[in-house]
Amino acid sequence: MGMSAARARRDRSGRAFASLVQGVAIWVSGTLVVAFAAAFIAVLAVEGWQGLKAASSSPVGFDLTRSLIGSGYILGIALPLVIIPAFLAAAAGYDVELGGPTTRWLTTSLRVGPMTPAIAIGAAALWFGVRGGQMPTFSGQGLIIAGIALAALNLPMLTRRILAGVREVPDRFRLAAIAAGAAPHTAFLNVIMPRALPAITGALLATAGRMFGETAIVATVLNYAGTSLTPVTLDLWRRLTAPETGPGAGAPIATETLLLVTIIVAFRFAARLLQGRRRSGAVR
């Protein structure tokens, strides 16, 4: 009996020591990660600010405005193209009464769609744009084709995010609406959708951030086609793949990187704020 009690005390002491060591290791690792990220952001901010001042004060500096317009133009093409198809596909995947025989097929295909490499979709868009590999004649349409390719890349992921937001709403609301005599599509639009709206809006913002930072498709299509508007990601990619030499050559790279990270983080932060209201919106 005494030996068993002593063994139990040793086991408890060993578990407590292991928990302490694990906690310290996690704390140290987290502190190092935060410190590394903070140092990276600080260096990027200093270099990026210097480049931003150079761009605003020098008439021959790089033009951030045109890059932002190019990125905004592509985003303005791609995002509207995915909203309605993603919403309809999510509705079909949510309820068999809405999707019919396509519901099970959608649920399966949505697991595979987001795994498609961006470079593959970019290559397909490029092939379509140049009509099977001939010299491009669509330089004025390159942004449109890049936007369509971005929409194709992000459609499965956005559909999954909308579907996840809709499924967060407790099923009792749908059942109560149907029991009261509402049709399945009426219950979905008038009962489920308002409660899932914060999560859906957050999904749209997260997708917009991903589209803004996409490089593979934009570089694949526009670098081959040529365009008067160079999006931020393409301009940054060109600077990194064909680096300039001389004093201050790295400032534009730091500035565009800082700008890109800031915009994407802003989209993600806004999405997280809205998605944080998912539970409160679902239970009202």
Side-chain angles (χ1 to χ4, degrees):
M1 184 72 178
M3 294 180 62
S4 299
R7 184 179 300 110
R9 285 195 296 270
R10 287 196 300 270
D11 290 342
R12 286 195 297 269
S13 299
R15 287 194 295 268
F17 179 74
S19 298
L20 177 62
V21 172
Q22 183 181 15
V24 172
I26 292 174
W27 182 84
V28 170
S29 300
T31 302
L32 290 175
V33 170
V34 172
F36 178 79
F40 173 78
I41 293 174
V43 173
L44 185 62
V46 171
E47 293 294 329
W49 178 248
Q50 296 299 325
L52 187 60
K53 289 195 300 183
S56 61
S57 61
S58 174
V60 295
F62 63 101
D63 193 348
L64 283 175
T65 304
R66 290 186 62 82
S67 297
L68 285 172
I69 291 174
S71 295
Y73 190 67
I74 292 180
L75 188 62
I77 294 171
L79 195 59
L81 288 177
V82 297
I83 292 177
I84 294 179
F87 174 77
L88 294 176
Y94 171 71
D95 191 353
V96 69
E97 295 294 333
L98 298 174
T102 64
T103 299
R104 180 175 297 180
W105 176 82
L106 275 170
T107 304
T108 303
S109 62
L110 288 177
R111 299 191 185 101
V112 180
M115 300 172 62
T116 306
I119 192 66
I121 295 181
L126 181 62
W127 181 89
F128 173 78
V130 300
R131 297 175 177 83
Q134 299 176 6
M135 290 301 294
T137 59
F138 68 104
S139 59
Q141 305 170 2
L143 290 171
I144 297 176
I145 293 177
I148 294 173
L150 273 181
L153 175 68
N154 288 275
L155 179 60
M157 181 61 71
L158 179 59
T159 303
R160 286 185 60 178
R161 287 173 172 168
I162 293 177
L163 185 57
V166 170
R167 285 176 174 170
E168 284 287 329
V169 180
D171 199 46
R172 65 177 182 271
F173 290 103
R174 181 182 66 87
L175 295 177
I178 292 177
H185 68 276
T186 303
F188 180 79
L189 292 175
N190 296 340
V191 178
I192 301 299
M193 278 298 300
R195 291 171 170 81
L197 191 58
I200 294 174
T201 307
L204 291 175
L205 289 173
T207 301
R210 186 184 180 195
M211 287 179 173
F212 192 91
E214 174 60 40
T215 304
I217 287 178
V218 174
T220 300
V221 175
L222 297 185
N223 199 49
Y224 190 74
T227 177
S228 57
L229 289 176
T230 304
V232 175
T233 52
L234 177 59
D235 193 64
L236 179 59
W237 179 78
R238 286 175 174 174
R239 292 181 186 277
L240 291 172
T241 53
E244 299 178 0
T245 58
I253 295 176
T255 301
E256 289 186 333
T257 304
L258 179 63
L259 180 67
L260 190 64
V261 171
T262 301
I263 293 175
I264 294 174
V265 169
F267 274 120
R268 295 292 297 178
F269 183 73
R272 292 298 297 176
L273 285 179
L274 287 171
Q275 290 170 344
R277 299 173 53 193
R278 176 184 301 176
R279 294 186 182 276
S280 60
V283 298
R284 274 182 281 177

